[in-house]
């Protein structure tokens, strides 16, 4: 194994010009951030942690080094941003109290994603994953380091920022096999874009999964950072479910970007106008079956989209089954036109007969009415009874305010009004209380008051550094937080029982968190001086002599 002290902790090449790497420009004297594992931390006795590369919503990516294989690697640590943190001096991940259960589910998804990727090691577009490690109250994926560039950067190097279909076909088609394998294993990528499709030095395009599926839609507790133009409508709108068709939308958008040279419009904008325009000069260079495949893959509503990767692949390839289907459709259309012509005469004759019959009936009624052969209706009085209706279950079924407002039957049967309140358990916009219990029968027009969630009440954590524990606790509890504390070492430079001057709370000052959440304070203990220790020792010695 090479001497780690002489390696850059970002690219793991030899340092030749001091602390700043001549190869990648990384300054190896950069102080460690206590939020992350310190550089040179060792996992499983063989993986060395290097510089932090990025922190996405579900995990941190580190540069790394495999001591046994003597090669650079990439390490992915499950560390949900905003839902967890580290206390200074500890490598363990601390999950915030409110999100403990959610984090356990997300951790399982993280393990499933990367374990599945490891099983697909042989697929050409799969990221090579070869180990999983549990440590520090979290889990790590050990990934082979791949020298690559994002598709986005590659396209910018081409004239007009695009490439012809013949080139794009060679790049994109192998990725579909890997994507199909993911879907068959119950995994939706959810964040395909020109940034997550990368071109590697070996000439292959690979799909780099950045985040677990739960981080890929707006309903998650994890941060959702959609790639505009590549995120599908269902990722913004929970009225539609995420699935394999979500990846088909994003992949189609990537092909569009590669062929046209510009990003497609966002799904939100396309909901009002779902047409995707391709300039004529470019459209002429793209085979028609490819344009149709992109259109089918980018249908704005998921239920109208191409349903699976196999069908999508056939359409891109203009496979025989697709051509046969098109031929049958054309033949059927011809038959329809023929039948339409043949039936026109029959329809005209029928219409004339109906008119004559109706005229005869009208004349008969006229004669009967004026010869008093139809009895005149008797005037009667009727009693109007109020109808009663059973109150629906508005709560627990996920109904939003707009769901209720758009239900014509409910609004005819009842007078529905809304009020709003915070909820720690129900997401914003969803009904969670109703003034009359479900199942009760009430008269038509009865008022039902529905309480709509305003979401979790949040407050920014104040800066309580250098305050006494009592002062800090009082301030935090006044905002609705729960408070606990841990004692840390005091070297004599701080007043005992005061809050650490930097990163003294978890969550940290400035973070916006839910009211009622626990805030952990790091408090300086009593000063332990050498003089005090000597005095204690002298007292003990004197006591022994006296005895």
């Amino acid at each position: 194994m090479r001497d780690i002290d002489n390696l850059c902790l970002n690219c793991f090449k030899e340092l030749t010009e001091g602390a700043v790497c001549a190869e990648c420009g990384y300054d190896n004297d950069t102080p460690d951030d206590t939020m992350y594992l310190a550089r040179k931390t060792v996992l499983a006795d063989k993986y060395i942690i290097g510089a932090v590369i990025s922190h996405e919503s579900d995990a941190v990516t580190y540069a790394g080094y495999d001591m046994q294989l003597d090669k650079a690697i990439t390490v992915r640590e499950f560390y949900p941003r905003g839902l967890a943190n580290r206390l200074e001096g500890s490598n363990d991940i601390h999950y915030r109290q409110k999100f403990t259960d959610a984090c356990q589910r997300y951790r399982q998804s993280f393990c499933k994603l990367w374990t599945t990727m490891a099983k697909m090691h042989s697929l050409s577009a799969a990221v090579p994953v070869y180990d999983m490690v549990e440590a520090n109250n979290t889990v790590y994926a050990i990934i082979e380091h791949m020298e690559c560039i994002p598709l986005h950067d590659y396209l910018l190097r081409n004239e007009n920022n695009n490439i012809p279909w013949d080139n794009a076909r060679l790049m994109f088609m192998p990725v579909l096999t890997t994507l199909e394998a993911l879907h068959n294993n119950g995994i939706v990528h959810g964040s395909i874009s020109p940034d997550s499709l990368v071109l590697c030095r070996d000439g292959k395009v690979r799909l780099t999964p950045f985040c677990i599926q739960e981080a890929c839609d707006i309903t998650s507790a994890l941060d959702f950072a959609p790639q505009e133009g590549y995120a599908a409508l269902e990722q913004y709108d929970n009225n539609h479910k995420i699935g394999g068709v979500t990846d088909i939308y994003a992949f189609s958008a990537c092909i569009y970007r590669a062929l046209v040279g510009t990003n497609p419009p966002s799904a939100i904008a396309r909901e009002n106008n779902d047409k995707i325009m391709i300039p004529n000069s470019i459209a002429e260079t793209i085979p028609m079956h490819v344009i149709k495949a992109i259109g089918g893959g980018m249908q704005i509503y998921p239920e109208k989209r191409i349903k699976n990767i196999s069908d999508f692949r056939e359409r891109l390839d203009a496979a025989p089954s697709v051509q046969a289907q098109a031929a049958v459709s054309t033949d059927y259309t011809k038959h329809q036109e023929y039948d339409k012509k043949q039936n026109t005469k029959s329809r005209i004759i029928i219409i004339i007969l109906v008119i004559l019959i109706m005229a005869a009936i009208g004349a008969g009624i006229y004669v009967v009415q004026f010869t008093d052969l139809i009895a005149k209706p008797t005037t009667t009085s009727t009693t109007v009874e109020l109808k009663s209706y059973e109150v629906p279950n508005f709560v627990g079924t996920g109904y939003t305010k707009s769901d209720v407002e758009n239900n014509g039957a409910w609004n005819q049967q009842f007078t529905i009004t809304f009020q709003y309140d915070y909820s720690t358990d129900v997401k914003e916009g969803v009904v969670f209380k109703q003034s009359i219990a479900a199942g009760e029968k009430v008269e038509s027009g009865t008022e039902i008051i529905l309480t709509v969630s305003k979401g979790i009440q949040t407050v920014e954590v104040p800066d309580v550094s250098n305050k006494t524990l009592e002062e800090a606790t009082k301030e935090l509890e006044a905002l609705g937080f729960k408070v606990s504390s841990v004692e840390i070492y005091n070297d004599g430079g701080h007043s005992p029982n005061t809050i650490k001057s930097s990163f003294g709370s978890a969550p940290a000052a400035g973070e916006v968190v839910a009211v009622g959440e626990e805030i952990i304070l790091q408090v300086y203990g009593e000063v332990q001086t050498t003089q005090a220790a000597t005095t204690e020792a002298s007292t003990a010695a004197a006591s022994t002599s006296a005895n």
Side-chain angles (χ1 to χ4, degrees), residues 114-150:
W114 292 100
T115 301
T116 302
M117 293 302 299
K119 292 177 181 176
M120 297 193 301
H121 194 281
S122 61
L123 294 175
S124 65
V127 175
V129 181
Y130 63 88
D131 200 3
M132 297 288 292
V133 174
E134 288 193 35
N136 305 325
N137 197 30
T138 188
V139 63
Y140 300 82
I142 309 302
I143 307 164
E144 289 187 24
H145 174 68
M146 306 293 294
E147 291 189 16
C148 58
I149 62 169

CSV table of all heavy atoms in Angstrom, one decimal, residues 114-150:
chain,number,residue,atom,x,y,z
A,114,TRP,N,-28.5,0.1,-3.6
A,114,TRP,CA,-27.1,-0.1,-3.9
A,114,TRP,C,-26.8,-1.6,-3.9
A,114,TRP,O,-25.8,-2.1,-4.6
A,114,TRP,CB,-26.2,0.6,-2.9
A,114,TRP,CG,-26.3,2.1,-3.2
A,114,TRP,CD1,-27.0,3.0,-2.5
A,114,TRP,CD2,-25.7,2.8,-4.2
A,114,TRP,NE1,-26.9,4.3,-3.1
A,114,TRP,CE2,-26.1,4.2,-4.1
A,114,TRP,CE3,-24.8,2.4,-5.2
A,114,TRP,CZ2,-25.6,5.1,-5.0
A,114,TRP,CZ3,-24.3,3.4,-6.1
A,114,TRP,CH2,-24.8,4.7,-6.0
A,115,THR,N,-27.5,-2.4,-3.1
A,115,THR,CA,-27.4,-3.9,-3.2
A,115,THR,C,-27.8,-4.4,-4.6
A,115,THR,O,-27.1,-5.2,-5.2
A,115,THR,CB,-28.2,-4.6,-2.1
A,115,THR,OG1,-27.8,-4.1,-0.9
A,115,THR,CG2,-28.0,-6.1,-2.2
A,116,THR,N,-28.9,-3.8,-5.1
A,116,THR,CA,-29.3,-4.2,-6.5
A,116,THR,C,-28.3,-3.8,-7.5
A,116,THR,O,-28.0,-4.5,-8.5
A,116,THR,CB,-30.7,-3.5,-6.8
A,116,THR,OG1,-31.6,-3.9,-5.8
A,116,THR,CG2,-31.2,-3.9,-8.1
A,117,MET,N,-27.7,-2.6,-7.4
A,117,MET,CA,-26.7,-2.1,-8.3
A,117,MET,C,-25.5,-3.0,-8.3
A,117,MET,O,-24.9,-3.3,-9.3
A,117,MET,CB,-26.3,-0.7,-8.0
A,117,MET,CG,-27.3,0.4,-8.2
A,117,MET,SD,-28.0,0.5,-9.9
A,117,MET,CE,-26.5,0.9,-10.8
A,118,ALA,N,-25.2,-3.6,-7.1
A,118,ALA,CA,-24.0,-4.5,-7.0
A,118,ALA,C,-24.3,-5.8,-7.8
A,118,ALA,O,-23.4,-6.4,-8.4
A,118,ALA,CB,-23.7,-4.8,-5.5
A,119,LYS,N,-25.6,-6.2,-7.7
A,119,LYS,CA,-26.0,-7.5,-8.4
A,119,LYS,C,-25.9,-7.3,-9.9
A,119,LYS,O,-25.8,-8.2,-10.7
A,119,LYS,CB,-27.4,-7.9,-8.0
A,119,LYS,CG,-27.5,-8.4,-6.6
A,119,LYS,CD,-28.9,-8.7,-6.2
A,119,LYS,CE,-29.1,-9.1,-4.8
A,119,LYS,NZ,-30.5,-9.4,-4.4
A,120,MET,N,-26.1,-6.0,-10.4
A,120,MET,CA,-26.1,-5.7,-11.8
A,120,MET,C,-24.7,-5.3,-12.3
A,120,MET,O,-24.6,-4.6,-13.3
A,120,MET,CB,-27.2,-4.7,-12.1
A,120,MET,CG,-28.6,-5.1,-11.8
A,120,MET,SD,-29.8,-4.0,-12.5
A,120,MET,CE,-29.4,-2.4,-11.7
A,121,HIS,N,-23.7,-5.7,-11.6
A,121,HIS,CA,-22.3,-5.3,-11.9
A,121,HIS,C,-22.0,-5.6,-13.4
A,121,HIS,O,-21.2,-4.8,-14.0
A,121,HIS,CB,-21.4,-6.1,-11.0
A,121,HIS,CG,-20.0,-5.5,-10.9
A,121,HIS,ND1,-19.1,-5.7,-11.9
A,121,HIS,CD2,-19.4,-4.7,-10.0
A,121,HIS,CE1,-17.9,-5.1,-11.6
A,121,HIS,NE2,-18.1,-4.4,-10.5
A,122,SER,N,-22.5,-6.6,-14.0
A,122,SER,CA,-22.1,-7.0,-15.3
A,122,SER,C,-22.8,-6.2,-16.4
A,122,SER,O,-22.3,-6.3,-17.6
A,122,SER,CB,-22.4,-8.5,-15.5
A,122,SER,OG,-23.8,-8.8,-15.4
A,123,LEU,N,-23.8,-5.5,-16.1
A,123,LEU,CA,-24.5,-4.7,-17.1
A,123,LEU,C,-23.7,-3.5,-17.5
A,123,LEU,O,-23.1,-2.8,-16.6
A,123,LEU,CB,-25.9,-4.2,-16.6
A,123,LEU,CG,-26.9,-5.4,-16.3
A,123,LEU,CD1,-28.2,-4.8,-15.7
A,123,LEU,CD2,-27.2,-6.1,-17.6
A,124,SER,N,-23.7,-3.2,-18.8
A,124,SER,CA,-22.7,-2.2,-19.3
A,124,SER,C,-23.0,-0.8,-18.7
A,124,SER,O,-22.1,0.0,-18.6
A,124,SER,CB,-22.8,-2.1,-20.8
A,124,SER,OG,-24.1,-1.7,-21.3
A,125,ALA,N,-24.2,-0.5,-18.4
A,125,ALA,CA,-24.5,0.9,-18.0
A,125,ALA,C,-24.7,1.0,-16.5
A,125,ALA,O,-25.1,2.0,-16.0
A,125,ALA,CB,-25.8,1.4,-18.7
A,126,ALA,N,-24.4,-0.1,-15.8
A,126,ALA,CA,-24.5,0.0,-14.3
A,126,ALA,C,-23.3,0.5,-13.7
A,126,ALA,O,-22.2,0.3,-14.1
A,126,ALA,CB,-24.8,-1.5,-13.8
A,127,VAL,N,-23.5,1.3,-12.6
A,127,VAL,CA,-22.3,1.8,-11.8
A,127,VAL,C,-21.7,0.6,-11.1
A,127,VAL,O,-22.4,-0.2,-10.4
A,127,VAL,CB,-22.8,2.8,-10.8
A,127,VAL,CG1,-21.6,3.3,-9.9
A,127,VAL,CG2,-23.3,4.0,-11.5
A,128,PRO,N,-20.4,0.3,-11.2
A,128,PRO,CA,-19.8,-0.8,-10.5
A,128,PRO,C,-19.7,-0.7,-9.0
A,128,PRO,O,-19.0,0.1,-8.5
A,128,PRO,CB,-18.4,-0.9,-11.1
A,128,PRO,CG,-18.4,0.0,-12.3
A,128,PRO,CD,-19.4,1.1,-12.0
A,129,VAL,N,-20.6,-1.4,-8.3
A,129,VAL,CA,-20.6,-1.4,-6.8
A,129,VAL,C,-20.1,-2.7,-6.3
A,129,VAL,O,-20.6,-3.8,-6.8
A,129,VAL,CB,-22.1,-1.1,-6.3
A,129,VAL,CG1,-22.1,-1.1,-4.8
A,129,VAL,CG2,-22.6,0.2,-6.9
A,130,TYR,N,-19.2,-2.7,-5.4
A,130,TYR,CA,-18.7,-4.1,-5.0
A,130,TYR,C,-18.7,-4.3,-3.5
A,130,TYR,O,-18.2,-5.4,-3.0
A,130,TYR,CB,-17.3,-4.3,-5.6
A,130,TYR,CG,-16.2,-3.3,-5.1
A,130,TYR,CD1,-15.5,-3.6,-4.0
A,130,TYR,CD2,-15.9,-2.2,-5.9
A,130,TYR,CE1,-14.4,-2.8,-3.6
A,130,TYR,CE2,-14.9,-1.4,-5.5
A,130,TYR,CZ,-14.1,-1.6,-4.4
A,130,TYR,OH,-13.1,-0.8,-4.0
A,131,ASP,N,-19.2,-3.4,-2.7
A,131,ASP,CA,-19.2,-3.7,-1.2
A,131,ASP,C,-20.2,-2.8,-0.5
A,131,ASP,O,-20.5,-1.7,-1.0
A,131,ASP,CB,-17.8,-3.5,-0.6
A,131,ASP,CG,-17.7,-4.2,0.7
A,131,ASP,OD1,-18.6,-4.9,1.1
A,131,ASP,OD2,-16.6,-4.1,1.4
A,132,MET,N,-20.8,-3.3,0.6
A,132,MET,CA,-21.6,-2.5,1.5
A,132,MET,C,-21.1,-2.6,2.9
A,132,MET,O,-20.7,-3.7,3.3
A,132,MET,CB,-23.1,-3.0,1.4
A,132,MET,CG,-23.8,-2.9,0.1
A,132,MET,SD,-24.2,-1.2,-0.4
A,132,MET,CE,-25.4,-0.8,0.8
A,133,VAL,N,-21.0,-1.5,3.6
A,133,VAL,CA,-20.4,-1.5,4.9
A,133,VAL,C,-21.4,-0.8,5.9
A,133,VAL,O,-21.9,0.2,5.6
A,133,VAL,CB,-19.1,-0.7,5.0
A,133,VAL,CG1,-18.6,-0.6,6.4
A,133,VAL,CG2,-18.1,-1.4,4.1
A,134,GLU,N,-21.6,-1.5,7.0
A,134,GLU,CA,-22.4,-0.8,8.1
A,134,GLU,C,-21.5,-0.4,9.2
A,134,GLU,O,-20.7,-1.1,9.7
A,134,GLU,CB,-23.4,-1.8,8.7
A,134,GLU,CG,-24.6,-2.2,7.7
A,134,GLU,CD,-25.7,-2.9,8.4
A,134,GLU,OE1,-26.0,-2.6,9.6
A,134,GLU,OE2,-26.3,-3.8,7.8
A,135,ALA,N,-21.6,0.9,9.5
A,135,ALA,CA,-20.7,1.5,10.6
A,135,ALA,C,-21.3,2.9,10.9
A,135,ALA,O,-22.1,3.5,10.1
A,135,ALA,CB,-19.3,1.6,10.1
A,136,ASN,N,-21.0,3.4,12.1
A,136,ASN,CA,-21.3,4.7,12.5
A,136,ASN,C,-22.8,5.0,12.5
A,136,ASN,O,-23.2,6.1,12.1
A,136,ASN,CB,-20.6,5.8,11.6
A,136,ASN,CG,-19.0,5.5,11.6
A,136,ASN,OD1,-18.5,5.1,12.6
A,136,ASN,ND2,-18.4,5.8,10.4
A,137,ASN,N,-23.6,4.0,12.8
A,137,ASN,CA,-25.0,4.1,12.8
A,137,ASN,C,-25.6,4.5,11.5
A,137,ASN,O,-26.7,5.1,11.4
A,137,ASN,CB,-25.5,5.2,13.9
A,137,ASN,CG,-27.0,5.0,14.2
A,137,ASN,OD1,-27.5,3.9,14.2
A,137,ASN,ND2,-27.6,6.1,14.6
A,138,THR,N,-24.9,4.0,10.4
A,138,THR,CA,-25.4,4.3,9.1
A,138,THR,C,-24.9,3.2,8.2
A,138,THR,O,-24.3,2.2,8.6
A,138,THR,CB,-25.0,5.7,8.6
A,138,THR,OG1,-25.7,5.9,7.3
A,138,THR,CG2,-23.5,5.9,8.4
A,139,VAL,N,-25.0,3.4,6.8
A,139,VAL,CA,-24.5,2.3,5.9
A,139,VAL,C,-23.8,3.0,4.7
A,139,VAL,O,-24.1,4.2,4.4
A,139,VAL,CB,-25.7,1.5,5.4
A,139,VAL,CG1,-26.7,2.3,4.7
A,139,VAL,CG2,-25.2,0.3,4.6
A,140,TYR,N,-22.8,2.3,4.1
A,140,TYR,CA,-22.0,2.9,3.1
A,140,TYR,C,-22.0,2.0,1.9
A,140,TYR,O,-22.0,0.7,2.0
A,140,TYR,CB,-20.5,3.0,3.5
A,140,TYR,CG,-20.4,4.0,4.7
A,140,TYR,CD1,-20.6,3.5,6.0
A,140,TYR,CD2,-20.0,5.3,4.6
A,140,TYR,CE1,-20.4,4.3,7.1
A,140,TYR,CE2,-19.9,6.1,5.7
A,140,TYR,CZ,-20.1,5.6,6.9
A,140,TYR,OH,-19.9,6.4,8.0
A,141,ALA,N,-22.1,2.6,0.7
A,141,ALA,CA,-21.9,1.8,-0.6
A,141,ALA,C,-20.5,2.1,-1.1
A,141,ALA,O,-20.1,3.3,-1.2
A,141,ALA,CB,-22.9,2.2,-1.6
A,142,ILE,N,-19.7,1.1,-1.4
A,142,ILE,CA,-18.4,1.2,-1.9
A,142,ILE,C,-18.4,1.0,-3.5
A,142,ILE,O,-18.8,0.0,-4.0
A,142,ILE,CB,-17.4,0.2,-1.3
A,142,ILE,CG1,-17.5,0.2,0.2
A,142,ILE,CG2,-16.0,0.4,-1.8
A,142,ILE,CD1,-17.2,1.6,0.8
A,143,ILE,N,-18.1,2.0,-4.2
A,143,ILE,CA,-18.3,2.1,-5.6
A,143,ILE,C,-16.9,2.3,-6.3
A,143,ILE,O,-16.1,3.1,-5.9
A,143,ILE,CB,-19.2,3.3,-6.0
A,143,ILE,CG1,-20.5,3.2,-5.2
A,143,ILE,CG2,-19.5,3.3,-7.5
A,143,ILE,CD1,-21.3,4.5,-5.1
A,144,GLU,N,-16.8,1.6,-7.5
A,144,GLU,CA,-15.5,1.8,-8.2
A,144,GLU,C,-15.5,3.2,-8.7
A,144,GLU,O,-16.5,3.8,-9.2
A,144,GLU,CB,-15.5,0.8,-9.4
A,144,GLU,CG,-15.2,-0.6,-9.0
A,144,GLU,CD,-15.0,-1.5,-10.2
A,144,GLU,OE1,-14.6,-1.0,-11.2
A,144,GLU,OE2,-15.3,-2.7,-10.0
A,145,HIS,N,-14.3,3.8,-8.7
A,145,HIS,CA,-14.1,5.2,-9.2
A,145,HIS,C,-14.1,5.1,-10.7
A,145,HIS,O,-13.3,4.4,-11.3
A,145,HIS,CB,-12.8,5.8,-8.7
A,145,HIS,CG,-12.5,7.1,-9.3
A,145,HIS,ND1,-13.2,8.2,-9.0
A,145,HIS,CD2,-11.5,7.5,-10.1
A,145,HIS,CE1,-12.7,9.2,-9.7
A,145,HIS,NE2,-11.6,8.8,-10.4
A,146,MET,N,-14.9,5.9,-11.4
A,146,MET,CA,-15.0,6.0,-12.8
A,146,MET,C,-14.6,7.4,-13.3
A,146,MET,O,-15.2,8.4,-12.9
A,146,MET,CB,-16.4,5.6,-13.3
A,146,MET,CG,-16.9,4.3,-12.8
A,146,MET,SD,-16.1,2.9,-13.4
A,146,MET,CE,-16.5,2.9,-15.1
A,147,GLU,N,-13.6,7.4,-14.2
A,147,GLU,CA,-13.3,8.7,-14.8
A,147,GLU,C,-14.3,9.0,-15.9
A,147,GLU,O,-14.4,8.2,-16.9
A,147,GLU,CB,-11.9,8.7,-15.4
A,147,GLU,CG,-10.8,8.6,-14.3
A,147,GLU,CD,-9.4,8.9,-14.8
A,147,GLU,OE1,-9.3,9.3,-16.0
A,147,GLU,OE2,-8.4,8.5,-14.1
A,148,CYS,N,-15.1,10.0,-15.7
A,148,CYS,CA,-16.2,10.3,-16.7
A,148,CYS,C,-16.5,11.7,-16.7
A,148,CYS,O,-16.1,12.6,-15.9
A,148,CYS,CB,-17.4,9.5,-16.2
A,148,CYS,SG,-18.0,9.8,-14.5
A,149,ILE,N,-17.4,12.1,-17.7
A,149,ILE,CA,-17.9,13.4,-17.7
A,149,ILE,C,-19.4,13.3,-17.9
A,149,ILE,O,-19.9,12.4,-18.6
A,149,ILE,CB,-17.3,14.3,-18.9
A,149,ILE,CG1,-17.7,13.6,-20.3
A,149,ILE,CG2,-15.9,14.5,-18.7
A,149,ILE,CD1,-17.3,14.5,-21.4
A,150,PRO,N,-20.2,14.2,-17.4
A,150,PRO,CA,-21.7,14.2,-17.6
A,150,PRO,C,-22.1,14.4,-19.0
A,150,PRO,O,-21.4,15.1,-19.8
A,150,PRO,CB,-22.2,15.3,-16.7
A,150,PRO,CG,-21.1,15.7,-15.8
A,150,PRO,CD,-19.8,15.3,-16.5
